[in-house]
C-alpha cells in the first residue's frame, strides 16, 4: 500500500476514492468514527467499506471516546477554527496517527484527501501536494481533486456507483462549525437536539456565568442553547433569538474550565471564525 485515503463518506471523499481506483493506485481507505454521526451515516460508511472490499482495497475505521464523552472530559465544547477545536484532534487526528503508527511505522505512506479549492474561501489556495504534514506525523499529503469543480467531482461519484448527496458529510451531526444552512436543515424535532440540550444543561456555567452551549451565541443570532441555534437556522436573515430558555439562565453555580473561551462575546477567534476546520481531517 502506498497511499491512505482519508474518507468521511461525503461527496468529495467518494470522488477521491474513485479517482484513485481509476488511476490503479495501491491505496487503503480510513474513516474516523467520531461517535457523533447522523443515525443513518453508518449505512453510508458500510457502502464505502463494501465498495472497498469488492475491489480488494483495505478499509480501516478508527474509533475514539466520541463527542459526548470528549465534551464532558474537556468541560466544554470545541471552539471552531481555533486552537480549541479539539474535536478534530481528539476524534480524528489522534486515532489516525495511532493507526498510522501501527501500519506505517516508517512514515512511507502518502495521505490523500478529497479537498478542493472550489469548496470554500479558506481552501482557495490549497496546494496539490503538502510535504511532511505535521498533522499526519510528517507524512506527505496529496490532494488530487484540488482543481476539480463540482461537475467533475459528481461524474466520479456516479462512476463509483454512489448517489451525489445534497449535503456535506454527516460524520459529525451537527458539526461544531455548522452554519445557518446546516442548522436550518435539522428538523426541529430531531432527537439529536434533545441529546445536545441534555449535555449542554449538564455542562453548567462558566466562571463568567455563561452557559456552556455547543454553538457560541454570537455565531447563531444570539441564540442561547441548541434549540435557539436551530431556531436561528430556520429563521429569516437577521433572525434574533427572542428569549433565553429557563435552563440556561444562571442561578449561582459556576465552574472553571480551560475550554471556556468565547462563550459570551465576540472575540478575535470569533471574528476569524472559518466555516471549516482545514487540517485535512474534516470533510465538507
Ligand atoms: S467534522 Fe466538525 S465536529 Fe467533527 S471533528 Fe471536524 S470540526 Fe469537529
Amino acid at each position: 500500500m502506498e497511499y491512505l485515503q482519508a474518507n468521511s463518506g461525503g461527496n468529495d471523499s467518494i470522488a477521491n476514492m474513485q479517482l484513485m481506483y481509476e488511476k490503479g493506485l495501491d491505496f487503503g481507505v480510513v474513516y474516523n468514527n467520531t461517535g457523533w454521526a447522523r443515525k443513518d451515516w453508518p449505512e453510508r460508511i458500510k457502502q464505502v467499506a463494501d465498495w472497498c472490499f469488492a475491489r480488494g482495497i483495505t478499509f480501516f475505521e478508527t474509533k475514539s471516546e466520541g463527542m459526548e464523552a470528549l465534551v464532558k472530559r474537556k468541560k466544554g465544547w470545541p471552539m471552531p477554527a481555533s486552537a480549541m477545536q479539539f474535536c478534530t484532534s481528539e476524534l480524528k487526528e489522534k486515532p489516525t496517527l495511532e493507526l498510522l503508527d501501527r501500519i506505517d511505522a516508517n512514515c512511507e505512506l502518502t495521505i490523500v484527501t478529497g479537498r478542493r479549492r472550489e469548496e470554500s474561501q479558506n481552501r482557495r489556495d490549497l496546494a496539490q501536494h503538502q510535504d511532511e504534514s505535521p498533522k499526519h506525523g510528517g507524512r506527505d499529503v496529496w490532494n488530487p481533486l484540488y482543481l476539480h469543480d463540482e461537475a467533475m467531482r459528481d461524474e466520479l461519484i456516479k462512476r463509483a456507483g454512489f448517489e451525489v448527496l445534497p449535503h456535506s458529510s454527516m460524520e459529525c451531526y451537527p458539526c461544531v462549525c455548522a452554519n445557518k444552512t446546516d442548522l436550518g436543515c435539522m428538523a426541529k424535532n430531531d432527537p439529536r437536539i434533545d441529546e445536545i440540550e441534555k449535555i449542554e444543561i449538564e455542562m453548567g456555567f462558566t466562571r463568567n456565568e455563561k452557559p456552556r452551549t455547543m454553538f457560541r451565541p454570537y455565531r447563531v443570532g444570539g441564540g442561547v442553547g441548541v434549540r435557539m441555534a436551530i431556531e436561528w437556522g430556520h429563521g429569516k436573515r437577521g433572525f434574533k433569538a427572542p428569549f433565553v430558555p429557563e435552563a440556561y439562565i444562571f442561578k449561582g453555580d459556576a465552574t472553571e474550565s480551560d475550554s471556556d473561551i468565547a462563550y459570551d462575546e465576540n472575540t478575535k477567534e470569533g471574528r476569524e471564525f472559518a466555516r471549516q476546520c482545514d487540517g485535512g481531517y474534516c470533510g465538507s
Side-chain angles (χ1 to χ4, degrees), residues 252-272:
D253 191 12
T255 54
E256 292 217 26
S257 163
D258 292 343
S259 308
D260 285 344
I261 57 169
Y263 276 101
D264 45 357
E265 59 190 13
N266 206 345
T267 60
K268 184 166 171 287
E269 290 93 343
R271 285 192 295 277
E272 289 174 357

Side-chain angles (χ1 to χ4, degrees), residues 11 15 43 74 81 102 104 140 170 172 178 183 189 199 248 262 283:
N11 285 330
E43 187 48 42
K74 291 278 192 181
R102 287 204 311 276
D104 183 39
D140 293 343
M170 292 293 151
C172 287
L183 296 176
N189 63 353
I199 301 169
Y248 296 86

Side-chain angles (χ1 to χ4, degrees), residues 34 36 67 78 85 87-89 91-92 171-172 174-177 214 277 281-283:
T34 64
W36 193 245
M67 181 71 95
Q85 191 176 298
C87 48
T88 307
S89 53
L91 305 179
K92 295 182 167 186
E171 61 188 333
C172 287
C175 170
V176 294
C177 305
M214 180 170 187
C277 45
Y281 280 95
C282 291

Side-chain angles (χ1 to χ4, degrees), residues 222-233:
V224 178
V226 63
R227 235 168 261 287
M228 283 296 148
I230 299 294
E231 286 297 333
W232 170 76

Side-chain angles (χ1 to χ4, degrees), residues 198-233:
K198 188 164 170 287
I199 301 169
E200 286 182 336
I201 293 170
E202 209 175 303
M203 300 296 296
F205 294 81
T206 70
R207 195 179 46 162
N208 293 335
E209 305 179 7
K210 305 295 174 189
R212 295 192 176 98
T213 52
M214 180 170 187
F215 302 103
R216 270 56 173 182
Y218 66 83
R219 284 191 44 223
V220 293
V224 178
V226 63
R227 235 168 261 287
M228 283 296 148
I230 299 294
E231 286 297 333
W232 170 76

Side-chain angles (χ1 to χ4, degrees), residues 6 93 96-97 100 107 109 111 113 115 130 132-141 279-281:
E93 189 177 331
T96 301
L97 289 174
L100 285 166
C107 289
L109 286 176
I111 310 302
T113 89
R115 287 176 294 170
Q130 296 167 274
E132 300 178 7
S133 162
K135 288 190 175 295
H136 299 87
R139 293 168 183 84
D140 293 343
V141 173
Y281 280 95

